Amino acid sequence: MRTTTAILAALLLATSLAAQANSVRIGNRIITEGDSIGTVRQVAGTPDRIVTLENDRGAAVGERWEYYRPDGTTVLITIHGGRGTGVDEVR
């Protein structure tokens, strides 16, 4: 019984950590992977910095939007094809 409980607890923790890696809270709203750039701008505003992402031949393939928070964390949103494909929070 204890083994089953420990496995269940580990799975719940892993699931919650995975969900946190794919979303970020901005105020009382949440940005998740798959959100459109319009939704990202509506929730987070204009990025503090936009970095163009290039392939190995130098062609633009996307952007990384960076938002600098007052608490020292940075929110990184990767944009491909008009949608957020990666959401990370760096402390």
Side-chain angles (χ1 to χ4, degrees):
M1 183 66 173
R2 286 185 180 187
T3 303
T4 305
T5 304
I7 291 171
L8 181 59
L11 288 173
L12 288 173
L13 178 62
T15 303
S16 69
L17 290 176
Q20 290 176 355
N22 299 327
S23 63
V24 66
R25 177 179 291 278
I26 307 283
N28 63 353
R29 308 265 316 263
I30 294 178
I31 295 174
T32 59
E33 287 182 0
D35 283 348
S36 69
I37 58 174
T39 300
V40 173
R41 282 203 187 255
Q42 183 180 23
V43 172
T46 302
D48 294 306
R49 180 176 181 220
I50 297 176
V51 177
T52 300
L53 304 176
E54 299 177 345
N55 65 14
D56 57 351
R57 295 183 181 200
V61 294
E63 295 177 332
R64 183 178 64 236
W65 292 7
E66 300 179 359
Y67 294 89
Y68 307 126
R69 292 182 162 179
D71 65 358
T73 60
T74 301
V75 175
L76 305 172
I77 301 174
T78 306
I79 306 291
H80 288 100
R83 297 233 171 245
T85 58
V87 179
D88 296 300
E89 186 172 4
V90 181
R91 297 185 187 274

